[in-house]
Tab-separated table of all heavy atoms in Angstrom:
chain	number	residue	atom	x	y	z
A	1	HIS	N	-29.649	10.009	-115.016
A	1	HIS	CA	-28.806	11.144	-114.928
A	1	HIS	C	-27.679	10.737	-113.954
A	1	HIS	O	-27.857	9.940	-113.093
A	1	HIS	CB	-29.629	12.278	-114.418
A	1	HIS	CG	-30.738	12.696	-115.293
A	1	HIS	ND1	-30.670	13.238	-116.384
A	1	HIS	CD2	-32.124	12.366	-115.134
A	1	HIS	CE1	-31.819	13.361	-117.007
A	1	HIS	NE2	-32.743	12.906	-116.238
A	2	GLN	N	-26.494	11.473	-114.112
A	2	GLN	CA	-25.412	11.015	-113.270
A	2	GLN	C	-25.268	12.147	-112.133
A	2	GLN	O	-25.093	13.272	-112.364
A	2	GLN	CB	-24.146	11.154	-114.150
A	2	GLN	CG	-22.840	10.775	-113.359
A	2	GLN	CD	-21.630	11.040	-114.087
A	2	GLN	OE1	-21.405	12.130	-114.612
A	2	GLN	NE2	-20.751	10.050	-114.129
A	3	ILE	N	-25.295	11.515	-110.869
A	3	ILE	CA	-24.983	12.300	-109.716
A	3	ILE	C	-23.718	11.829	-109.061
A	3	ILE	O	-23.466	10.654	-109.077
A	3	ILE	CB	-26.193	12.402	-108.696
A	3	ILE	CG1	-26.596	11.024	-108.198
A	3	ILE	CG2	-27.324	13.196	-109.237
A	3	ILE	CD1	-27.481	11.078	-107.074
A	4	SER	N	-22.916	12.722	-108.623
A	4	SER	CA	-21.669	12.455	-107.970
A	4	SER	C	-21.678	12.973	-106.638
A	4	SER	O	-21.783	14.151	-106.451
A	4	SER	CB	-20.378	13.029	-108.768
A	4	SER	OG	-20.284	12.439	-110.074
A	5	LEU	N	-21.640	12.108	-105.713
A	5	LEU	CA	-21.770	12.465	-104.312
A	5	LEU	C	-20.405	12.431	-103.579
A	5	LEU	O	-19.712	11.404	-103.566
A	5	LEU	CB	-22.772	11.591	-103.464
A	5	LEU	CG	-24.106	11.382	-104.263
A	5	LEU	CD1	-24.951	10.368	-103.428
A	5	LEU	CD2	-24.832	12.766	-104.225
A	6	HIS	N	-19.999	13.636	-103.181
A	6	HIS	CA	-18.545	13.722	-102.656
A	6	HIS	C	-18.662	14.053	-101.173
A	6	HIS	O	-19.611	14.742	-100.669
A	6	HIS	CB	-17.831	14.894	-103.361
A	6	HIS	CG	-17.524	14.647	-104.735
A	6	HIS	ND1	-16.234	14.245	-105.165
A	6	HIS	CD2	-18.279	14.651	-105.862
A	6	HIS	CE1	-16.290	14.163	-106.517
A	6	HIS	NE2	-17.514	14.330	-106.914
A	7	LEU	N	-17.715	13.455	-100.478
A	7	LEU	CA	-17.616	13.699	-98.902
A	7	LEU	C	-17.301	15.246	-98.793
A	7	LEU	O	-16.469	15.790	-99.350
A	7	LEU	CB	-16.620	12.955	-98.287
A	7	LEU	CG	-16.888	11.530	-97.972
A	7	LEU	CD1	-15.725	10.766	-97.265
A	7	LEU	CD2	-18.123	11.492	-97.013
A	8	GLY	N	-18.034	15.852	-98.013
A	8	GLY	CA	-17.836	17.294	-97.591
A	8	GLY	C	-19.196	17.931	-96.965
A	8	GLY	O	-19.974	17.161	-96.598
A	9	LYS	N	-19.064	19.260	-96.804
A	9	LYS	CA	-20.247	19.888	-96.128
A	9	LYS	C	-21.335	20.198	-97.110
A	9	LYS	O	-21.057	20.893	-98.148
A	9	LYS	CB	-19.695	21.262	-95.498
A	9	LYS	CG	-20.845	22.007	-94.869
A	9	LYS	CD	-20.258	23.205	-94.133
A	9	LYS	CE	-21.435	24.050	-93.537
A	9	LYS	NZ	-21.079	25.429	-93.244
A	10	PRO	N	-22.498	19.619	-96.866
A	10	PRO	CA	-23.607	19.846	-97.841
A	10	PRO	C	-23.894	21.338	-97.949
A	10	PRO	O	-23.595	22.206	-97.048
A	10	PRO	CB	-24.788	19.188	-97.228
A	10	PRO	CG	-24.088	18.076	-96.429
A	10	PRO	CD	-22.921	18.664	-95.893
A	11	PHE	N	-24.519	21.744	-99.107
A	11	PHE	CA	-24.784	23.188	-99.328
A	11	PHE	C	-25.867	23.646	-98.427
A	11	PHE	O	-26.711	22.927	-97.992
A	11	PHE	CB	-25.154	23.403	-100.838
A	11	PHE	CG	-26.352	22.630	-101.328
A	11	PHE	CD1	-27.642	23.090	-101.241
A	11	PHE	CD2	-26.068	21.418	-102.090
A	11	PHE	CE1	-28.632	22.363	-101.815
A	11	PHE	CE2	-27.156	20.680	-102.583
A	11	PHE	CZ	-28.445	21.144	-102.461
A	12	GLU	N	-25.816	24.936	-98.104
A	12	GLU	CA	-26.774	25.573	-97.244
A	12	GLU	C	-28.143	25.805	-98.011
A	12	GLU	O	-28.030	26.109	-99.266
A	12	GLU	CB	-26.219	26.918	-96.729
A	12	GLU	CG	-27.129	27.582	-95.747
A	12	GLU	CD	-26.485	28.878	-95.183
A	12	GLU	OE1	-25.244	28.971	-95.119
A	12	GLU	OE2	-27.257	29.769	-94.861
A	13	THR	N	-29.228	25.622	-97.308
A	13	THR	CA	-30.511	25.903	-97.969
A	13	THR	C	-31.340	26.639	-96.995
A	13	THR	O	-31.022	26.810	-95.776
A	13	THR	CB	-31.235	24.534	-98.263
A	13	THR	OG1	-31.498	23.918	-96.991
A	13	THR	CG2	-30.463	23.683	-99.189
A	14	THR	N	-32.361	27.435	-97.563
A	14	THR	CA	-33.345	28.223	-96.705
A	14	THR	C	-34.666	27.853	-97.374
A	14	THR	O	-34.802	27.529	-98.458
A	14	THR	CB	-33.104	29.735	-96.832
A	14	THR	OG1	-33.095	30.098	-98.284
A	14	THR	CG2	-31.756	30.060	-96.174
A	15	ASN	N	-35.695	27.832	-96.512
A	15	ASN	CA	-37.058	27.549	-96.950
A	15	ASN	C	-37.637	28.849	-97.484
A	15	ASN	O	-38.518	29.440	-96.793
A	15	ASN	CB	-37.905	26.983	-95.736
A	15	ASN	CG	-37.440	25.561	-95.311
A	15	ASN	OD1	-36.810	24.961	-96.098
A	15	ASN	ND2	-37.849	25.126	-94.208
A	16	THR	N	-37.297	29.179	-98.738
A	16	THR	CA	-37.771	30.356	-99.413
A	16	THR	C	-38.457	30.149	-100.735
A	16	THR	O	-38.944	31.042	-101.287
A	16	THR	CB	-36.543	31.288	-99.594
A	16	THR	OG1	-35.549	30.645	-100.421
A	16	THR	CG2	-35.906	31.740	-98.320
A	17	GLY	N	-38.597	28.846	-100.988
A	17	GLY	CA	-39.375	28.535	-102.327
A	17	GLY	C	-40.867	28.320	-102.126
A	17	GLY	O	-41.125	27.478	-101.245
A	18	LYS	N	-41.666	29.164	-102.619
A	18	LYS	CA	-43.088	29.040	-102.311
A	18	LYS	C	-43.755	27.967	-103.304
A	18	LYS	O	-43.673	28.210	-104.601
A	18	LYS	CB	-43.797	30.435	-102.464
A	18	LYS	CG	-45.232	30.294	-102.025
A	18	LYS	CD	-45.751	31.668	-101.686
A	18	LYS	CE	-47.293	31.692	-101.372
A	18	LYS	NZ	-47.664	30.913	-100.137
A	19	VAL	N	-44.269	26.926	-102.744
A	19	VAL	CA	-45.008	25.922	-103.586
A	19	VAL	C	-46.340	25.796	-102.993
A	19	VAL	O	-46.529	25.251	-101.950
A	19	VAL	CB	-44.177	24.576	-103.594
A	19	VAL	CG1	-45.035	23.453	-104.311
A	19	VAL	CG2	-42.766	24.632	-104.130
A	20	GLY	N	-47.275	26.387	-103.694
A	20	GLY	CA	-48.683	26.409	-103.139
A	20	GLY	C	-48.634	27.202	-101.822
A	20	GLY	O	-48.166	28.326	-101.892
A	21	ASP	N	-49.061	26.525	-100.746
A	21	ASP	CA	-49.059	27.192	-99.472
A	21	ASP	C	-47.892	26.765	-98.737
A	21	ASP	O	-47.735	27.077	-97.437
A	21	ASP	CB	-50.294	26.717	-98.638
A	21	ASP	CG	-51.601	27.243	-99.351
A	21	ASP	OD1	-51.561	28.335	-100.011
A	21	ASP	OD2	-52.636	26.578	-99.235
A	22	HIS	N	-46.901	26.171	-99.187
A	22	HIS	CA	-45.718	25.551	-98.599
A	22	HIS	C	-44.455	26.356	-98.907
A	22	HIS	O	-44.319	26.835	-100.037
A	22	HIS	CB	-45.560	24.114	-98.839
A	22	HIS	CG	-46.703	23.280	-98.470
A	22	HIS	ND1	-46.924	22.755	-97.247
A	22	HIS	CD2	-47.681	22.857	-99.268
A	22	HIS	CE1	-48.010	22.121	-97.165
A	22	HIS	NE2	-48.531	22.166	-98.439
A	23	MET	N	-43.535	26.500	-97.995
A	23	MET	CA	-42.194	27.065	-98.252
A	23	MET	C	-41.208	25.909	-98.300
A	23	MET	O	-41.233	25.107	-97.280
A	23	MET	CB	-41.821	28.071	-97.179
A	23	MET	CG	-42.790	29.347	-97.079
A	23	MET	SD	-42.905	30.216	-98.666
A	23	MET	CE	-41.388	31.056	-98.705
A	24	VAL	N	-40.642	25.734	-99.411
A	24	VAL	CA	-39.633	24.580	-99.503
A	24	VAL	C	-38.194	25.048	-99.608
A	24	VAL	O	-37.905	26.202	-99.907
A	24	VAL	CB	-40.127	23.747	-100.816
A	24	VAL	CG1	-41.453	23.150	-100.602
A	24	VAL	CG2	-39.910	24.534	-102.026
A	25	PRO	N	-37.278	24.123	-99.442
A	25	PRO	CA	-35.868	24.457	-99.410
A	25	PRO	C	-35.275	24.885	-100.774
A	25	PRO	O	-35.719	24.261	-101.859
A	25	PRO	CB	-35.083	23.096	-99.094
A	25	PRO	CG	-36.171	22.256	-98.522
A	25	PRO	CD	-37.498	22.703	-99.118
A	26	MET	N	-34.571	25.922	-100.744
A	26	MET	CA	-33.897	26.445	-101.935
A	26	MET	C	-32.404	26.550	-101.589
A	26	MET	O	-32.100	27.072	-100.555
A	26	MET	CB	-34.479	27.890	-102.326
A	26	MET	CG	-35.981	27.821	-102.800
A	26	MET	SD	-36.132	26.839	-104.200
A	26	MET	CE	-35.360	27.825	-105.510
A	27	PRO	N	-31.492	26.251	-102.480
A	27	PRO	CA	-31.811	25.520	-103.759
A	27	PRO	C	-32.187	24.040	-103.429
A	27	PRO	O	-31.916	23.588	-102.332
A	27	PRO	CB	-30.555	25.701	-104.533
A	27	PRO	CG	-29.420	25.724	-103.459
A	27	PRO	CD	-30.120	26.515	-102.439
A	28	HIS	N	-32.658	23.418	-104.492
A	28	HIS	CA	-32.926	21.931	-104.379
A	28	HIS	C	-32.669	21.343	-105.702
A	28	HIS	O	-32.789	22.003	-106.658
A	28	HIS	CB	-34.260	21.585	-103.695
A	28	HIS	CG	-35.409	22.110	-104.610
A	28	HIS	ND1	-36.094	23.419	-104.375
A	28	HIS	CD2	-36.054	21.653	-105.690
A	28	HIS	CE1	-37.046	23.588	-105.281
A	28	HIS	NE2	-37.081	22.511	-106.177
A	29	LEU	N	-32.486	19.950	-105.627
A	29	LEU	CA	-32.363	19.259	-106.888
A	29	LEU	C	-33.702	18.630	-107.206
A	29	LEU	O	-34.400	18.081	-106.321
A	29	LEU	CB	-31.308	18.055	-106.659
A	29	LEU	CG	-31.168	16.985	-107.690
A	29	LEU	CD1	-30.634	17.618	-109.074
A	29	LEU	CD2	-30.339	15.961	-107.282
A	30	GLY	N	-33.981	18.672	-108.437
A	30	GLY	CA	-35.430	18.153	-108.832
A	30	GLY	C	-35.253	17.196	-110.028
A	30	GLY	O	-34.226	17.116	-110.747
A	31	LEU	N	-36.347	16.479	-110.140
A	31	LEU	CA	-36.405	15.396	-111.140
A	31	LEU	C	-37.795	15.301	-111.649
A	31	LEU	O	-38.793	15.438	-110.800
A	31	LEU	CB	-35.932	14.033	-110.605
A	31	LEU	CG	-35.882	12.865	-111.537
A	31	LEU	CD1	-34.873	13.014	-112.598
A	31	LEU	CD2	-35.681	11.649	-110.696
A	32	VAL	N	-38.069	15.035	-112.849
A	32	VAL	CA	-39.375	14.765	-113.471
A	32	VAL	C	-39.412	13.352	-113.937
A	32	VAL	O	-38.661	12.936	-114.698
A	32	VAL	CB	-39.699	15.725	-114.620
A	32	VAL	CG1	-41.053	15.490	-115.218
A	32	VAL	CG2	-39.613	17.190	-114.042
A	33	LEU	N	-40.544	12.622	-113.407
A	33	LEU	CA	-40.840	11.178	-113.923
A	33	LEU	C	-42.229	11.123	-114.436
A	33	LEU	O	-43.020	11.948	-114.022
A	33	LEU	CB	-40.583	10.374	-112.664
A	33	LEU	CG	-39.258	10.206	-111.976
A	33	LEU	CD1	-39.427	9.358	-110.723
A	33	LEU	CD2	-38.215	9.662	-113.012
A	34	GLY	N	-42.406	10.047	-115.126
A	34	GLY	CA	-43.733	9.638	-115.502
A	34	GLY	C	-44.451	9.332	-114.111
A	34	GLY	O	-43.898	8.865	-113.233
A	35	TYR	N	-45.773	9.487	-114.079
A	35	TYR	CA	-46.533	9.236	-112.984
A	35	TYR	C	-46.304	7.825	-112.352
A	35	TYR	O	-46.139	7.641	-111.075
A	35	TYR	CB	-48.094	9.488	-113.082
A	35	TYR	CG	-48.779	9.106	-111.800
A	35	TYR	CD1	-48.815	9.984	-110.721
A	35	TYR	CD2	-49.423	7.914	-111.675
A	35	TYR	CE1	-49.451	9.797	-109.643
A	35	TYR	CE2	-50.130	7.603	-110.522
A	35	TYR	CZ	-50.101	8.473	-109.447
A	35	TYR	OH	-50.783	8.220	-108.211
A	36	ASP	N	-46.272	6.800	-113.106
A	36	ASP	CA	-46.239	5.439	-112.669
A	36	ASP	C	-44.874	5.179	-111.917
A	36	ASP	O	-44.820	4.724	-110.786
A	36	ASP	CB	-46.386	4.417	-113.724
A	36	ASP	CG	-47.901	4.289	-114.209
A	36	ASP	OD1	-48.656	4.755	-113.568
A	36	ASP	OD2	-47.968	3.797	-115.350
A	37	GLU	N	-43.839	5.685	-112.426
A	37	GLU	CA	-42.472	5.592	-111.847
A	37	GLU	C	-42.487	6.473	-110.537
A	37	GLU	O	-41.841	6.097	-109.605
A	37	GLU	CB	-41.321	6.001	-112.863
A	37	GLU	CG	-39.931	5.793	-112.242
A	37	GLU	CD	-39.545	4.401	-111.967
A	37	GLU	OE1	-40.171	3.465	-112.491
A	37	GLU	OE2	-38.503	4.206	-111.222
A	38	TRP	N	-42.973	7.659	-110.618
A	38	TRP	CA	-43.036	8.569	-109.571
A	38	TRP	C	-43.815	7.893	-108.353
A	38	TRP	O	-43.310	7.899	-107.200
A	38	TRP	CB	-43.894	9.772	-109.897
A	38	TRP	CG	-43.988	10.849	-108.764
A	38	TRP	CD1	-43.069	11.856	-108.446
A	38	TRP	CD2	-45.081	10.853	-107.858
A	38	TRP	NE1	-43.630	12.618	-107.318
A	38	TRP	CE2	-44.805	11.931	-106.947
A	38	TRP	CE3	-46.205	10.220	-107.628
A	38	TRP	CZ2	-45.625	12.338	-105.874
A	38	TRP	CZ3	-47.039	10.544	-106.552
A	38	TRP	CH2	-46.729	11.652	-105.688
A	39	ARG	N	-44.909	7.235	-108.563
A	39	ARG	CA	-45.730	6.500	-107.560
A	39	ARG	C	-44.733	5.497	-106.973
A	39	ARG	O	-44.959	5.288	-105.720
A	39	ARG	CB	-47.006	5.968	-108.174
A	39	ARG	CG	-47.901	5.327	-107.118
A	39	ARG	CD	-48.687	6.304	-106.293
A	39	ARG	NE	-47.977	6.406	-104.997
A	39	ARG	CZ	-48.183	7.275	-104.133
A	39	ARG	NH1	-49.104	8.341	-104.278
A	39	ARG	NH2	-47.656	7.236	-103.003
A	40	LYS	N	-44.060	4.686	-107.707
A	40	LYS	CA	-43.182	3.652	-107.123
A	40	LYS	C	-42.226	4.245	-106.250
A	40	LYS	O	-41.964	3.671	-105.131
A	40	LYS	CB	-42.527	2.880	-108.267
A	40	LYS	CG	-43.361	1.911	-109.139
A	40	LYS	CD	-42.665	1.358	-110.235
A	40	LYS	CE	-43.585	0.543	-111.172
A	40	LYS	NZ	-42.865	0.067	-112.393
A	41	VAL	N	-41.629	5.367	-106.565
A	41	VAL	CA	-40.571	6.005	-105.747
A	41	VAL	C	-41.216	6.560	-104.582
A	41	VAL	O	-40.632	6.385	-103.373
A	41	VAL	CB	-39.838	7.114	-106.537
A	41	VAL	CG1	-38.931	7.903	-105.612
A	41	VAL	CG2	-39.106	6.663	-107.685
A	42	ALA	N	-42.413	7.170	-104.649
A	42	ALA	CA	-43.056	7.665	-103.390
A	42	ALA	C	-43.416	6.459	-102.559
A	42	ALA	O	-43.210	6.663	-101.262
A	42	ALA	CB	-44.454	8.355	-103.896
A	43	ASP	N	-43.856	5.374	-103.059
A	43	ASP	CA	-44.129	4.225	-102.138
A	43	ASP	C	-42.886	3.750	-101.504
A	43	ASP	O	-42.896	3.372	-100.249
A	43	ASP	CB	-44.808	3.133	-103.034
A	43	ASP	CG	-46.170	3.401	-103.517
A	43	ASP	OD1	-46.796	4.407	-102.987
A	43	ASP	OD2	-46.722	2.680	-104.422
A	44	ARG	N	-41.731	3.644	-102.117
A	44	ARG	CA	-40.636	3.247	-101.593
A	44	ARG	C	-40.160	4.227	-100.394
A	44	ARG	O	-39.761	3.752	-99.347
A	44	ARG	CB	-39.419	3.084	-102.575
A	44	ARG	CG	-39.433	1.871	-103.409
A	44	ARG	CD	-38.178	1.565	-104.030
A	44	ARG	NE	-37.606	2.581	-104.878
A	44	ARG	CZ	-37.758	2.782	-106.179
A	44	ARG	NH1	-38.558	1.930	-106.936
A	44	ARG	NH2	-37.205	3.723	-106.898
A	45	LEU	N	-40.253	5.440	-100.640
A	45	LEU	CA	-39.919	6.539	-99.672
A	45	LEU	C	-40.814	6.356	-98.468
A	45	LEU	O	-40.419	6.459	-97.297
A	45	LEU	CB	-39.906	7.859	-100.266
A	45	LEU	CG	-38.730	8.138	-101.174
A	45	LEU	CD1	-39.004	9.365	-102.068
A	45	LEU	CD2	-37.432	8.383	-100.430
A	46	GLU	N	-42.108	6.207	-98.724
A	46	GLU	CA	-43.040	6.015	-97.516
A	46	GLU	C	-42.813	4.847	-96.767
A	46	GLU	O	-42.755	4.863	-95.545
A	46	GLU	CB	-44.525	6.105	-98.104
A	46	GLU	CG	-45.003	7.366	-98.530
A	46	GLU	CD	-46.388	7.376	-99.327
A	46	GLU	OE1	-46.777	6.353	-99.883
A	46	GLU	OE2	-46.992	8.473	-99.352
């Protein structure tokens, strides 16, 4: 997918999205991957 990152002030977020027992930032950008690719990304981030 194409993302364009422009210099400027990032959008404001609030932790108002309920995911299970967690409150997560809204709005947020999301992506769906197959599990194997997801695991590789999680490992790189960790």
